[in-house]
Amino acid sequence: MTGVRPRPDVPVVGRSAPLAELAATWHDAVATGGRVMLVAGEAGMGKTTLVGAFADSLGDGADVVTGQCVAFAGEGMPYAAVVQVLREVIRLHGVDDVLGWAGVGGSSLGAVLPELGPDPGAADTQQLRLYEAITLVLEGAARRRPLLVVIEDLHWGDPATWHLLRFLSGAVTDAPLMILATYRDDELHRRHPLRPVLAELARQRRVGRLDLGPLDPDAVADLVTAIAGRSTARAVTAAIVRRGDGVPYLVAELARSAAEGVAMPGTLRDALLARVRGLSEGTQGVLRLASAAGTQFEHELLAEVADVPAAELDVALREAVDAVILVPDETGYRFRHALLHEVVHDELLPGEQARIHGRLADVVAERPELSGARGHDLVHHLFAAHRFEDAFAAALQRATDRATPHHEALALYTRALEVWDLVGEPAKVWGSHADILQGAAATAVWAGQPDRALTLIDAALHETGPGQDPEARARRLVIKAQALSALVRPGALEALEEAVALTSAERPTAVRAKTLEFHAAQLMLIGRYAEARDVADEAIAVATAIEAPAYRGSARTTRAIAVCALGDEERGLAEMQAARADSEVRPRTALRLWINWSDQLTLAGRFAEARDAALAGVEQARAKGLERSHGTMLLGNAAEPMLALGELAEASRLVARGLELSPPHNHLLQLRGLQAWIAVWEDRAAEAEEILVEFCPTIEGRTEQVQFEIALSMVDAWLRLLSPEPDPERAWRTTQRILRSPGRQSPARLWQTAYLSAAAWRARAGRTAAERDLLSAQTAAIPAALVAPTWRPLVAAELTDDATTWRAALDDPAVAAGPAQLRPLAAIRLAESLLRDGDRAAAAELLAEAAGSAGRMGFRVFVRRAEDVLDRAGLAGPRRRSSDPTELTAREREVLARLAEGRSNGEIAAELFISTKTASVHVSNILAKLQVSTRGEAAALAHTRPELLRRANRRQSSLSSVGRNGQS
């Protein structure tokens, strides 16, 4: 084994089960790809010892790299653990390999490793590119040699490190990589910001958790013996067992004290301080100074701030190392245990602490290469030194640096806002309080915290009173709209309308271009396509006037979408292609184009092109370092046409991949909807129902973003028609709500909705001719769409429901070129019509063919439907006879179910595709087996003994949506 790893400071006893679980997780990581294991326990419970023993157990079969989170001034130092991990990977493999693995995102590593250079990327993509680059580096190193990454003291981490861990838990694929993170669960108060991150991690399938509790008395005795030797008196061992509370670190310190003849301290803190206070005064002073530098620090940094000659410093450090208080590495030292660092730092007097941190700040300002990472230490030391004027300016300078990741920048803005009242003239340093709130809000949007952004921007708007700079207020309203849109909440359009009104129509500016561009996009999202087109035209003109191609490209994309939705798809697709040159100037705009281009191809029925375009977009996202962020929607855009092409297995894989990445809310809606659709096709109705229940308000139309309303409504309608327990009434209501307000919806989706409404009408027992006429009128009013020829014959076939129209639909080339599920569906419906006409041979052939083709593609729901029709028609082959002559056969259960509903023999025969005479024979057999004399008695018995109907009801319910033979 190579690499830096935690060394056990205490012998490992009583931990065989946790070690076995870690070994099993490692085996899974090596065999099938990345795993994350969280190890939780109170201070001193042996987390580091356990991890160190496990790392040693890997021997030469793995590389191990370790990073430790560091707390400064009550906050985690950004990326402290990540910096250590990356430097160890560089030490193992070299800079060239690391940059090669990072690919195009390699420059973003400069955000945490200054020696790799500055980051040239745009601020709105930098953090995501950094996360992607780190993921690729760890995967690359793991593919070279299985890799264990240890991150210690996660409770002291910063939001950026936590979000990176969350990202890694979903992003790491098949590389033999295990990430092992420790944290103190007793440090996590109810509002600790790590708690929600841990909750999200717990939902990831590749994440496990170990909880370390106290050692039992026997294990404590074994530990005392291992440390102090067998000569320890029984009374001393018993006292340690009693006073140690099973906490391994405390037990070890008490045992060492006993072995050295020192009176046993009463608490762990006393035990640790006893070891420190046994050192010389000079060494204790150096340790206090070192504690201000962090749990890990560079020798050169300590030498710069120490007031002792180099020789004396070396002597003090040697003493601390010999006492196993400090552990040396290549260029510096680390405290042997975080608890040691804590108690030493707590010994600093308030004035002493401020003075030392001030000296550290001065050194780091002059020599930033001694900092743990770019600019992090300086800000923390300035705050800890209470030099708020300097800290305020440094925090804002770092927050507005394009290379600063969003989560870190948001934390820096927050610190600056907290000390606003402690700074003499803060507005002269960095603008108004509202400006800082605005910067923090914009950062929160890109950091994926729209709720926080909304709170911040509302505060900024409150401070932007009437008569102040109108464009400043407009900028803030756009940020508010972005936050509301990301949360899929109402109010975004109203904010944008106010913002547009605040900008001058006579003077083109960047603020007006951005405001109009986003206003057009929001109008498009809520289905006001004509207005979206017109506003996009104005945005294009302003962007052209100020030479802002990114705003122009985005506005042109929005205009193209609106043109498609207004019924001119060919022109809209051509306009979107023409927008590519402008869009490519900015990564986010380019990815927006790929997302919408692939979606429009799907709506146009060009499924293979749509799939390929979305996958190409994923590649573009990878090239920009954004595959696992913006790429989540592109994964969904690739999966949707794959469903239409009958590629269910690959579509399911892409959707699962996207969901593992904790996508933003709007991407989550798309991916969960696709997951429900796959569950419907694979005949997993209960799973589809469970998913759709999450989105009832959206399905019911209580959303402004209509694309999600109609997409989820279509899935819901398919489920109600194809479920083993169908509900055609609900499918009718859902589809009719859409068709009665069609103006906000894409014509392509309206055509599919019209078909679903026709199928629901046919399956309803109480359907009327007036409803059929209404649906015919609704269908005729749908604007032109490239997919209309696919759905029009199927609507006609459902409304007519005879063999002629179903044969015409099945043979129509447009239907054949449509979504793959339509052919088996049409074949089953044609077979039912043929059975009613008495052509059993042709029906059997069609049903067998439909079941075979559906099965090959994965549409198990149509396999079941075809088999059910074969069974009802008596074409399913010989049945197994029961050994009990009084037991009802499956066919007799079906007949009894209909008899219990009050059906006549003729009605039963029509539903089961049998003759009236055969139905009469079945009824007679049922009466005899149930030992009753009348149909009414049989029906009453069926209602009191539901087990007689259970199998029949299951089969009947799966067929009720197929359509019953009757008159409108």
Side-chain angles (χ1 to χ4, degrees), residues 79 116 190 192 215 237 293 355 378 409 536 658 666 685 721 732 815:
Y79 292 121
L116 296 183
R190 186 168 59 87
H192 196 289
L215 297 175
T237 300
R355 185 171 63 255
L378 175 61
N666 52 347
L721 294 169
W732 172 257
V815 174

Side-chain angles (χ1 to χ4, degrees), residues 702-775:
R702 287 179 277 154
T703 179
E704 287 194 342
Q705 296 202 15
V706 295
Q707 58 177 327
F708 300 123
E709 175 190 357
I710 193 167
L712 290 168
S713 293
M714 287 193 302
V715 180
D716 188 71
W718 278 111
L719 174 63
R720 304 309 155 193
L721 294 169
L722 299 177
S723 168
E725 298 180 4
D727 187 353
E729 287 292 340
R730 173 165 167 171
W732 172 257
R733 291 194 303 271
T734 298
T735 54
Q736 279 297 301
R737 189 188 65 252
I738 299 292
L739 293 174
R740 284 170 181 158
S741 301
R744 302 194 307 161
Q745 306 292 351
S746 161
R749 297 197 189 279
L750 286 173
W751 276 102
Q752 184 170 175
T753 304
Y755 166 73
L756 290 166
S757 200
W761 175 83
R762 171 55 54 186
R764 292 168 63 234
R767 62 185 181 271
T768 67
E771 290 169 339
R772 180 187 58 199
D773 294 342
L774 169 65
L775 182 54

Side-chain angles (χ1 to χ4, degrees), residues 413-438:
Y413 272 119
T414 302
R415 293 299 302 274
L417 288 165
E418 288 172 351
V419 299
W420 174 271
D421 292 332
L422 302 177
V423 177
E425 295 182 274
K428 290 185 178 180
V429 177
W430 213 271
S432 70
H433 190 261
D435 288 336
I436 300 177
L437 286 168
Q438 176 187 320

Side-chain angles (χ1 to χ4, degrees), residues 794 805-813 815-816 822-824 826-827 830 846:
L794 291 167
T805 53
W806 278 115
R807 172 64 71 185
L810 184 62
D811 293 342
D812 194 306
V815 174
L822 297 184
R823 281 192 61 78
L830 173 58
L846 277 169

Side-chain angles (χ1 to χ4, degrees), residues 108 252 261 267 507 536 721 822 856 863:
S108 67
T267 67
R507 183 170 59 91
L721 294 169
L822 297 184
R856 287 189 293 275
V863 176

Side-chain angles (χ1 to χ4, degrees), residues 885-900 903 905 908 912 914 918-942 945 948-949 952:
T886 65
E887 182 182 341
L888 298 181
T889 66
R891 174 64 82 187
E892 287 166 350
R893 291 175 187 272
E894 292 171 348
V895 171
L896 178 60
R898 288 155 179 80
L899 188 151
R903 307 288 178 82
N905 287 350
I908 293 172
L912 298 181
I914 57 180
T918 301
S920 177
V921 170
H922 283 309
V923 170
S924 297
N925 290 339
I926 291 168
L927 297 181
K929 289 182 177 182
L930 297 181
Q931 297 181 0
V932 296
S933 56
T934 68
R935 298 165 65 90
E937 290 179 33
L941 191 60
R945 292 179 55 191
L948 294 172
L949 300 176

